[in-house]
Amino acid sequence: MLTVVNADGSTPNGSLIDEIVREGARRMLAAALEAEVNSYIAELAGERGGDGRRLVVRNGYHQPRKVTTAAGTVEVRAPRVNDKRVDDTTGERKRFSSAILPPWCRKSPKISEVLPLLYLHGLSSGDFVPALEQFLGSSAGLSPATVTRLTAQWQADHTAFMDRELSATDYVYVWADGVHLRIRLEEAKAAVLVLMGVRADGTKELIAMTDGYRESSEAWAGLLRDCARRGMRAPVLAVGDGALGFWNALSEVFPDTRHQRCWVHKTANVLDALPKSAQPAAKRAIQEIYNAEDKEHAARAVRDFERAYGAKYPKVVKRITDDEDELLAFFDFPAEHWIHLRTTNPIESTFATVRLRTKVTRGAGTRAAGLAMVFKLIESAQARWRAVNAPHLVRAGARFKRGQLVEREGRAA
């Protein structure tokens, strides 16, 4: 209940507006819990014992509990249910478990999500309480010991993720990249090796993530072999930059997978070798290649680029002509997917936000803790990843001509 308001609009517990929001959140949460329990009891009203009495009834309230939410810390008293039914399989009493507020819950998922963001942003575990107390109205659940436990849990989550079975999922496309971050890794030259894929239903998901020294062939091969050991089948197409380590490892572990070089990396690689005065025109000529109408037009654009720059910059032109097959591979897939397959942007865009948070992180830390924090960031971002265009065209083994699905020889859908 709101009582005393100071002249400046504040209350003994903070600002008036924040207290109103917390009070509203508390009441809404209490009402939702009551509705959930009432629905549960009404649904089982017909369950009666031998004496004719109901087996599922209300039984007062649990002890008050403080829960930290995005609106602040609120105190709730969850309704209690007396469920006398017995499970036929286990012989144990059945229990009501709230889907809104599980017994173990002390903070909302959004609060759990913001902790790794702040930790990676350079906030030490000792800084959490003073930093968040003003916003959340309480330090409950945000003590240094809690953050330490969370870090340990993140490491366990990452370990479980890297041990999971992959045989049930068919990854048609994959993107691979080695991302260098100012993160708490043990080796100065270590990179975070990331493998992201597209499932048969068109959704994107993280496949694997670990660290590797200098993106070497050995490091990538170890990651790919581990994925194969856990049941991963060879993807149809892999997209990556010019780092030879990944391509050598891919040819060893998944020799049937086609290669697609990233056009963003290739463009930067070509322009860096040209004089600044020649770069704008060369960039437009390169864009004519990967934005071509189809593979035939793209091949002609490569020849145009070769004629325009081959006499003066033959070594620069070879950077495209030597990799032509791998640069134009995406044209053999659905036209709706070309925008996704010609670059490694799905990984780069995800790590752009991670870099913003890791560039200020200091201290050596541990390899496991650093990887775990990056993993939790990606796991959080994964829920917002957009599926590829035309997901119904993601088919392993399908043939496409000029970007259209070939249903039978001589006919295109």
Side-chain angles (χ1 to χ4, degrees), residues 231-275:
M232 178 177 170
R233 295 182 289 277
V236 177
L237 181 73
V239 188
D241 60 17
L244 293 178
F246 171 70
W247 299 115
N248 292 337
L250 183 68
S251 297
E252 174 193 336
V253 182
F254 297 125
D256 295 331
T257 298
R258 295 189 60 185
H259 299 187
Q260 169 63 48
R261 293 290 180 89
C262 171
W263 271 103
V264 170
H265 288 85
K266 177 60 71 174
T267 301
N269 178 257
V270 170
L271 296 182
D272 285 346
L274 290 172

Side-chain angles (χ1 to χ4, degrees), residues 187-232:
E187 294 285 353
K189 300 294 184 180
V192 179
L193 306 183
V194 184
L195 198 64
M196 182 188 299
V198 174
R199 301 162 60 104
D201 62 0
T203 57
K204 302 173 188 172
E205 72 177 26
L206 181 67
I207 300 175
M209 190 204 79
T210 187
D211 60 337
Y213 186 69
R214 293 182 178 270
E215 299 184 59
S216 65
S217 298
E218 182 180 352
W220 274 114
L223 178 62
L224 293 176
R225 280 195 293 264
D226 180 66
C227 291
R229 177 187 59 79
R230 291 186 281 131
M232 178 177 170

Side-chain angles (χ1 to χ4, degrees), residues 20-312:
I20 291 174
V21 170
R22 281 195 289 270
E23 177 64 15
R26 185 193 65 78
R27 294 183 181 184
M28 290 180 66
L29 179 57
L33 292 172
E34 289 284 352
E36 182 185 34
V37 166
N38 290 339
S39 175
Y40 181 80
I41 293 176
E43 183 179 348
L44 300 172
E47 298 279 346
R48 297 180 181 270
D51 56 1
R53 295 184 179 183
R54 289 186 177 183
L55 294 177
V56 183
V57 295
R58 280 288 299 269
N59 188 25
Y61 293 88
H62 291 283
Q63 291 295 318
R65 186 197 329 177
K66 289 186 177 181
V67 181
T68 303
T69 71
T73 299
V74 297
E75 186 175 272
V76 296
R77 295 184 67 202
R80 191 162 54 189
V81 175
N82 184 9
D83 193 336
K84 299 178 181 178
R85 296 176 302 153
V86 177
D87 190 295
D88 295 334
T89 304
T90 64
E92 297 180 354
R93 285 272 298 270
K94 294 186 177 182
R95 293 178 178 271
F96 167 75
S97 181
S98 172
I100 301 173
L101 188 67
W104 47 263
C105 183
R106 293 296 184 274
K107 61 178 70 66
S108 72
K110 281 295 180 185
I111 296 299
S112 297
E113 179 179 316
V114 81
L115 292 178
L117 299 181
L118 293 175
Y119 198 61
L120 278 172
H121 200 59
L123 201 65
S124 68
S125 58
D127 293 331
F128 270 80
V129 173
L132 297 183
E133 191 170 16
Q134 296 299 318
F135 293 98
L136 301 178
S138 171
S139 61
L142 298 173
S143 66
T146 300
V147 175
T148 301
R149 287 195 299 270
L150 280 173
T151 305
Q153 181 59 52
W154 301 336
Q155 295 181 39
D157 292 344
H158 180 231
T159 300
F161 175 80
M162 291 299 292
D163 288 338
R164 78 194 192 286
E165 181 69 25
L166 297 175
S167 59
T169 305
D170 190 14
Y171 297 106
V172 181
Y173 310 134
V174 298
W175 295 275
D177 203 0
V179 185
H180 294 266
L181 301 170
R182 290 181 59 184
I183 191 66
R184 300 166 183 262
L185 299 179
E186 294 166 343
E187 294 285 353
K189 300 294 184 180
V192 179
L193 306 183
V194 184
L195 198 64
M196 182 188 299
V198 174
R199 301 162 60 104
D201 62 0
T203 57
K204 302 173 188 172
E205 72 177 26
L206 181 67
I207 300 175
M209 190 204 79
T210 187
D211 60 337
Y213 186 69
R214 293 182 178 270
E215 299 184 59
S216 65
S217 298
E218 182 180 352
W220 274 114
L223 178 62
L224 293 176
R225 280 195 293 264
D226 180 66
C227 291
R229 177 187 59 79
R230 291 186 281 131
M232 178 177 170
R233 295 182 289 277
V236 177
L237 181 73
V239 188
D241 60 17
L244 293 178
F246 171 70
W247 299 115
N248 292 337
L250 183 68
S251 297
E252 174 193 336
V253 182
F254 297 125
D256 295 331
T257 298
R258 295 189 60 185
H259 299 187
Q260 169 63 48
R261 293 290 180 89
C262 171
W263 271 103
V264 170
H265 288 85
K266 177 60 71 174
T267 301
N269 178 257
V270 170
L271 296 182
D272 285 346
L274 290 172
K276 285 189 177 181
S277 59
Q279 289 180 7
K283 184 175 182 180
R284 289 192 295 271
I286 292 173
Q287 290 172 339
E288 288 293 327
I289 301 173
Y290 63 75
N291 286 328
E293 178 183 348
D294 52 40
K295 194 170 186 177
E296 289 75 14
H297 286 82
R300 286 198 287 269
V302 172
R303 304 286 80 79
D304 292 341
F305 183 84
E306 187 175 10
R307 283 190 293 270
Y309 296 95
K312 295 179 67 175

Side-chain angles (χ1 to χ4, degrees), residues 365-378:
T366 66
R367 165 184 170 273
L371 286 173
M373 287 185 288
V374 175
F375 167 70
K376 296 305 288 187
L377 281 170
I378 298 177

